[in-house]
mmCIF file with all atom_site columns, all heavy atoms in Angstrom:
data_model
loop_
_atom_site.group_PDB
_atom_site.id
_atom_site.type_symbol
_atom_site.label_atom_id
_atom_site.label_alt_id
_atom_site.label_comp_id
_atom_site.label_asym_id
_atom_site.label_entity_id
_atom_site.label_seq_id
_atom_site.pdbx_PDB_ins_code
_atom_site.Cartn_x
_atom_site.Cartn_y
_atom_site.Cartn_z
_atom_site.occupancy
_atom_site.B_iso_or_equiv
_atom_site.pdbx_formal_charge
_atom_site.auth_seq_id
_atom_site.auth_comp_id
_atom_site.auth_asym_id
_atom_site.auth_atom_id
_atom_site.pdbx_PDB_model_num
ATOM 1  N N   . GLY A 1 22 ? 26.175 -58.343 10.978 1.00 81.00 ? 265 GLY A N   1
ATOM 2  C CA  . GLY A 1 22 ? 25.902 -57.721 12.268 1.00 81.00 ? 265 GLY A CA  1
ATOM 3  C C   . GLY A 1 22 ? 27.154 -57.144 12.879 1.00 81.00 ? 265 GLY A C   1
ATOM 4  O O   . GLY A 1 22 ? 27.135 -56.064 13.478 1.00 81.00 ? 265 GLY A O   1
ATOM 5  N N   . ALA A 1 23 ? 28.291 -57.852 12.743 1.00 82.00 ? 266 ALA A N   1
ATOM 6  C CA  . ALA A 1 23 ? 29.553 -57.339 13.293 1.00 82.00 ? 266 ALA A CA  1
ATOM 7  C C   . ALA A 1 23 ? 29.979 -56.084 12.568 1.00 82.00 ? 266 ALA A C   1
ATOM 8  O O   . ALA A 1 23 ? 30.431 -55.102 13.189 1.00 82.00 ? 266 ALA A O   1
ATOM 9  C CB  . ALA A 1 23 ? 30.627 -58.444 13.181 1.00 82.00 ? 266 ALA A CB  1
ATOM 10 N N   . VAL A 1 24 ? 29.846 -56.112 11.230 1.00 83.00 ? 267 VAL A N   1
ATOM 11 C CA  . VAL A 1 24 ? 30.199 -54.901 10.462 1.00 83.00 ? 267 VAL A CA  1
ATOM 12 C C   . VAL A 1 24 ? 29.286 -53.749 10.854 1.00 83.00 ? 267 VAL A C   1
ATOM 13 O O   . VAL A 1 24 ? 29.732 -52.597 10.990 1.00 83.00 ? 267 VAL A O   1
ATOM 14 C CB  . VAL A 1 24 ? 30.116 -55.215 8.953  1.00 83.00 ? 267 VAL A CB  1
ATOM 15 C CG1 . VAL A 1 24 ? 30.288 -53.934 8.158  1.00 83.00 ? 267 VAL A CG1 1
ATOM 16 C CG2 . VAL A 1 24 ? 31.167 -56.234 8.560  1.00 83.00 ? 267 VAL A CG2 1
ATOM 17 N N   . LYS A 1 25 ? 27.999 -54.022 11.060 1.00 83.00 ? 268 LYS A N   1
ATOM 18 C CA  . LYS A 1 25 ? 27.057 -52.970 11.424 1.00 83.00 ? 268 LYS A CA  1
ATOM 19 C C   . LYS A 1 25 ? 27.428 -52.359 12.769 1.00 83.00 ? 268 LYS A C   1
ATOM 20 O O   . LYS A 1 25 ? 27.445 -51.140 12.939 1.00 83.00 ? 268 LYS A O   1
ATOM 21 C CB  . LYS A 1 25 ? 25.640 -53.558 11.482 1.00 83.00 ? 268 LYS A CB  1
ATOM 22 C CG  . LYS A 1 25 ? 24.553 -52.560 11.830 1.00 83.00 ? 268 LYS A CG  1
ATOM 23 C CD  . LYS A 1 25 ? 23.198 -53.237 11.830 1.00 83.00 ? 268 LYS A CD  1
ATOM 24 C CE  . LYS A 1 25 ? 22.083 -52.280 12.165 1.00 83.00 ? 268 LYS A CE  1
ATOM 25 N NZ  . LYS A 1 25 ? 21.869 -51.284 11.093 1.00 83.00 ? 268 LYS A NZ  1
ATOM 26 N N   . ARG A 1 26 ? 27.760 -53.211 13.743 1.00 84.00 ? 269 ARG A N   1
ATOM 27 C CA  . ARG A 1 26 ? 28.136 -52.700 15.076 1.00 84.00 ? 269 ARG A CA  1
ATOM 28 C C   . ARG A 1 26 ? 29.424 -51.906 14.998 1.00 84.00 ? 269 ARG A C   1
ATOM 29 O O   . ARG A 1 26 ? 29.574 -50.871 15.668 1.00 84.00 ? 269 ARG A O   1
ATOM 30 C CB  . ARG A 1 26 ? 28.255 -53.857 16.062 1.00 84.00 ? 269 ARG A CB  1
ATOM 31 C CG  . ARG A 1 26 ? 26.932 -54.482 16.460 1.00 84.00 ? 269 ARG A CG  1
ATOM 32 C CD  . ARG A 1 26 ? 27.101 -55.448 17.614 1.00 84.00 ? 269 ARG A CD  1
ATOM 33 N NE  . ARG A 1 26 ? 27.909 -56.601 17.213 1.00 84.00 ? 269 ARG A NE  1
ATOM 34 C CZ  . ARG A 1 26 ? 27.442 -57.707 16.666 1.00 84.00 ? 269 ARG A CZ  1
ATOM 35 N NH1 . ARG A 1 26 ? 26.142 -57.804 16.415 1.00 84.00 ? 269 ARG A NH1 1
ATOM 36 N NH2 . ARG A 1 26 ? 28.247 -58.703 16.334 1.00 84.00 ? 269 ARG A NH2 1
ATOM 37 N N   . LEU A 1 27 ? 30.369 -52.376 14.191 1.00 85.00 ? 270 LEU A N   1
ATOM 38 C CA  . LEU A 1 27 ? 31.650 -51.682 14.075 1.00 85.00 ? 270 LEU A CA  1
ATOM 39 C C   . LEU A 1 27 ? 31.456 -50.292 13.465 1.00 85.00 ? 270 LEU A C   1
ATOM 40 O O   . LEU A 1 27 ? 31.983 -49.295 13.971 1.00 85.00 ? 270 LEU A O   1
ATOM 41 C CB  . LEU A 1 27 ? 32.603 -52.517 13.231 1.00 85.00 ? 270 LEU A CB  1
ATOM 42 C CG  . LEU A 1 27 ? 33.973 -51.879 12.972 1.00 85.00 ? 270 LEU A CG  1
ATOM 43 C CD1 . LEU A 1 27 ? 34.740 -51.672 14.282 1.00 85.00 ? 270 LEU A CD1 1
ATOM 44 C CD2 . LEU A 1 27 ? 34.794 -52.746 12.011 1.00 85.00 ? 270 LEU A CD2 1
#
Side-chain angles (χ1 to χ4, degrees):
V267 172
K268 181 180 180 68
R269 288 190 295 273
L270 178 63

